[in-house]
Amino acid sequence: MTLISMMGSDAVRIVVHHPIVWFARRIFSGVVVVWAAATLAFLIQCMLPGDRAQIIINVTSGNVGPASSAELAAINAKYGFDQPLAVQYGKYMLQILHGDLGESYQQHRPVAAIIAEQIGPTIVLAIAALLIAWLIAILTTLFIAGRDNIWSKLLNDAQVFLATVPPYWLATILLVLFAVKLGIFPVIGGNSPIGLVLPTLALALELSGFFGQVVQNEFTRVLEQPFVTSARARGMSDFGVRLRHVLRHAALPGITLSGWALGKLLSGAILIEVVFARQGLGGVLVAATSSRDVPIVSGAVLISAGLFVLVSLIVDLTYRVVDPRIKLT
C-alpha cells in the first residue's frame, strides 16, 4: 500500500513538472493577471469622481461649464454610460477580447492605434536600459565580488548610491551635464541611436545598483562552494572561474528580478521620455492623465500587464537555459 502510494505521489510530481502542464499553468495565471488588470481599469473609469459624459464634453469643447441634458444624453448613449454597470462591464470585456481598447476622449481615435504608434520607442528604451543595467552589474560583480580592496569598496558604495537615486533626478543631471554644458549629446533626444544614450543611462544606472547588490551577494556565497575550489585546483584562472562557473549560479536571483525590473522600466520610461522630449507613451500618458482621458490610461495599464506576463514567462524559461537542473514549478 505504501509502495503504491509512493508511486502515485511520484506520478503526480512528474505530471506537475511536465513542461506542457507548467506552460498551461503559466498561461492560465497570465490570463488571470490580464483579466484582473482589465477589471481594475474598468473600475477606475467608473469610480473616478465626476460625470464621465460631462468630462468628455468639457475635454472636447474646452469649456468647464455644465452641459445641457441633451448633450449629456447623447454622450451617455454613444458610450453606453446609461446602461447598468454589469452590462457596461460585459461589453468592456467583450471589447478587450476583440482587441478593442475603446476610443480616446481627447483624440477621438482608437486607443489601440494610439498606443501602437507610441509604444515602440518606449519598449526600445526599456529593453536597452535592462541590457545596459545587466552589463554594468555583471562587469562590476566580476571584478569586485569577494575582494577586499579600496576599489571593491568604492564600487560597492557606488552601487548602493545608484540604487537609491531617482531616475528623473539622474536624467536631469545627465541632461544638464552632457547635453547642455558639454554638448556631447542632443538636448532633445528624438529616436536616433545617439539620442537613446542618456535616457538609457538614466534608467539603467539605478537598476544596475539593484542588480549589482543582489548578484554580488550571491556571487560571494558561491565563491565559497566546493566546486569553485575544485575548478581552481584544476588550474583555472581566477577570472575564468568567476566567469564560467560562479556567474551562472549567482545570476539567478537577478534574473528573477528582471520581470519586475522591466515593468518598473516601462513605468519609469514615461518620466524619462518627458525629460528628454522623446517620442513614446510618456507624452501621451501625461496628456491623457491631465485631461482625464481614462481610456488611454486604462489601455496602457492593460498593455503593461500583458507585457509583464510575457516577460515573466520569458524569465522563467531563461532559468532553464542558465541552469538546466532547475525544475519548472
Side-chain angles (χ1 to χ4, degrees):
M1 185 67 181
T2 303
L3 179 61
I4 294 175
S5 177
M6 291 176 61
M7 291 176 62
S9 177
D10 291 341
V12 170
R13 191 177 298 111
I14 291 173
V15 170
V16 169
H17 291 296
H18 194 281
I20 295 178
V21 175
W22 173 85
F23 191 74
R25 287 172 53 195
R26 291 308 307 268
I27 293 296
F28 176 74
S29 63
V31 170
V32 171
V33 170
V34 174
W35 167 77
T39 302
L40 179 63
F42 172 79
L43 293 176
I44 288 174
Q45 295 187 59
C46 298
M47 295 175 64
L48 282 175
D51 186 283
R52 284 178 285 176
Q54 180 68 62
I55 292 171
I56 293 174
I57 293 172
N58 289 347
V59 169
T60 304
S61 64
N63 299 323
V64 294
S68 65
S69 300
E71 291 176 315
L72 292 173
I75 294 296
N76 283 326
K78 178 180 179 180
Y79 291 99
F81 298 157
D82 53 353
Q83 296 177 336
L85 192 61
V87 175
Q88 293 184 46
Y89 178 71
K91 287 185 175 180
Y92 176 74
M93 295 304 296
L94 197 60
Q95 285 181 346
I96 298 298
L97 291 175
H98 286 83
D100 184 1
L101 300 179
E103 183 179 298
S104 165
Y105 295 164
Q106 187 180 30
Q107 301 185 36
H108 302 290
R109 297 174 55 209
V111 170
I114 296 172
I115 292 179
E117 291 172 358
Q118 302 294 331
I119 198 170
T122 301
I123 291 179
V124 169
L125 175 59
I127 293 177
L130 184 65
L131 294 176
I132 295 300
W134 262 111
L135 180 64
I136 296 172
I138 288 174
L139 288 177
T140 53
T141 300
L142 284 174
F143 287 103
I144 72 175
R147 303 187 193 281
D148 186 18
N149 55 45
I150 184 65
W151 295 110
S152 65
K153 292 177 181 176
L154 286 175
L155 285 173
N156 184 65
D157 292 342
Q159 285 180 343
V160 175
F161 172 75
L162 290 173
T164 59
V165 174
Y168 62 87
W169 180 82
L170 190 59
T172 305
I173 298 298
L174 292 174
L175 181 67
V176 171
L177 181 60
F178 291 102
V180 178
K181 296 293 183 182
L182 299 179
I184 299 175
F185 298 100
V187 176
I188 298 177
N191 292 325
S192 62
I194 194 170
L196 188 64
V197 174
L198 292 183
T200 299
L201 285 177
L203 287 170
L205 287 176
E206 182 211 16
L207 198 57
S208 70
F210 281 108
F211 283 157
Q213 288 293 296
V214 172
V215 176
Q216 188 184 164
N217 289 336
E218 183 67 10
F219 199 99
T220 303
R221 187 190 68 80
V222 177
L223 275 175
E224 300 173 354
Q225 298 300 309
F227 72 89
V228 175
T229 305
S230 175
R232 294 186 193 279
R234 292 196 302 270
M236 184 174 286
S237 66
D238 178 65
F239 185 76
V241 171
R242 287 169 173 263
L243 182 62
R244 295 183 57 183
H245 292 285
V246 182
L247 182 61
R248 186 180 66 176
H249 298 275
L252 290 176
I255 293 174
T256 306
L257 290 176
S258 293
W260 159 82
L262 192 58
K264 183 178 185 297
L265 286 172
L266 287 172
S267 58
I270 293 171
L271 288 175
I272 300 303
E273 286 170 347
V274 173
V275 172
F276 290 96
R278 278 178 52 83
Q279 182 188 358
L281 277 180
V284 174
L285 277 178
V286 169
T289 303
S290 60
S291 63
R292 298 282 300 276
D293 201 340
V294 178
I296 289 184
V297 179
S298 300
V301 170
L302 193 58
I303 295 296
S304 298
L307 288 174
F308 178 78
V309 169
L310 178 63
V311 171
S312 298
L313 182 62
I314 294 174
V315 166
D316 287 344
L317 291 174
T318 306
Y319 267 48
R320 294 277 292 176
V321 176
V322 175
D323 191 346
R325 296 170 301 174
I326 294 177
K327 293 181 179 179
L328 298 174
T329 58

